Amino acid sequence: AIVKELGDCFDIKRPKELEGIPDDRVFLASSGALGVMGPESVKLLCSLIGHKDHRKNLRLQQNLTLALCKTKSPDGIKTLLGLLKHKDAPMQAAGAEALANYNEMELDTRKAIFDELLKTLMDQNAKKLNVTDQEAQERWNVISGPIMQTLQKLSGNAETDPDKWQRWWNDNKKKDWAKAG
């Protein structure tokens, strides 16, 4: 019942702006509360991420993403992995950061998450090599840190170079990571 009431908060019309910024305090407070109400709140949080009424509010979308990861529910993984392909770099970064909370999941789940993160990292790394592509450079600056931190947390390995991550993955994707180091 509480999750439903918090969900209803997202249907209210947003009041006036505060100092030129949309007043989204109710939405932010509701998303924070939903983050500690998992697993009951997972379905609602997944539906709010990218919802047409709120998708332009990046701050709220990032808050919803981080609230979803706090539930640590496996049902949220698909939504978070989908954010790795988001058109906005801050949302990609939020998705990558959120996936770090799944570091205590079963090894197969962590490997699947790791694989998707690495694909995103390597794809963007290839694009940023074109020094004339300013947008790719800026996207790299936003997403590379959160992705690498999550890779480190999921694997227990401390690489910081994309090519070394790729080599590590190739060497360890079929091994028990607790033994691989």
Side-chain angles (χ1 to χ4, degrees):
I2 296 171
V3 169
K4 184 194 177 315
E5 291 301 319
L6 285 169
D8 289 346
C9 290
F10 291 92
D11 295 333
I12 64 172
K13 189 148 180 99
R14 192 166 50 201
K16 300 177 188 174
E17 294 184 352
L18 293 174
E19 299 175 13
I21 300 171
D23 183 8
D24 56 3
R25 293 177 294 175
V26 171
F27 301 147
L28 295 172
S30 297
S31 67
L34 288 168
V36 295
M37 295 186 172
E40 293 83 5
S41 62
V42 172
K43 186 175 180 181
L44 176 60
L45 285 166
C46 288
S47 71
L48 289 168
I49 294 172
H51 189 277
K52 64 182 174 94
D53 292 341
H54 302 287
R55 82 173 58 129
K56 291 182 181 177
N57 186 339
L58 278 181
R59 181 171 76 158
L60 175 60
Q61 290 296 305
Q62 289 170 314
N63 245 35
L64 290 165
T65 300
L66 297 176
L68 177 59
C69 78
K70 288 179 187 173
T71 68
K72 295 187 179 186
S73 172
D75 296 334
I77 294 173
K78 182 177 178 183
T79 299
L80 295 174
L81 287 173
L83 291 176
L84 296 178
K85 294 175 178 29
H86 199 279
K87 66 180 181 64
D88 295 316
M91 287 305 297
Q92 281 185 294
E97 180 182 340
L99 287 164
N101 278 8
Y102 292 90
N103 67 320
E104 295 174 1
M105 297 294 286
E106 293 179 13
L107 183 59
D108 288 343
T109 302
R110 289 188 355 243
K111 285 182 178 182
I113 293 169
F114 187 99
D115 187 32
E116 290 301 316
L117 285 162
L118 185 61
K119 285 177 187 173
T120 301
L121 183 71
M122 296 308 291
D123 179 56
Q124 196 57 43
N125 185 47
K127 290 178 182 175
K128 80 148 175 97
L129 293 176
N130 178 359
V131 293
T132 60
D133 189 348
Q134 188 64 30
E135 184 179 329
Q137 299 290 328
E138 290 171 8
R139 182 173 294 272
W140 174 261
N141 291 339
V142 172
I143 70 169
S144 62
I147 290 176
M148 285 196 222
Q149 288 174 349
T150 300
L151 292 175
Q152 291 170 355
K153 199 165 183 185
L154 291 172
S155 68
N157 190 24
E159 295 296 343
T160 56
D161 178 76
D163 293 325
K164 289 182 181 177
W165 271 119
Q166 185 66 62
R167 278 193 289 279
W168 186 90
W169 173 244
N170 291 340
D171 292 342
N172 294 289
K173 62 183 161 189
K174 295 184 179 178
K175 295 180 183 174
D176 181 354
W177 288 357
K179 296 175 185 172

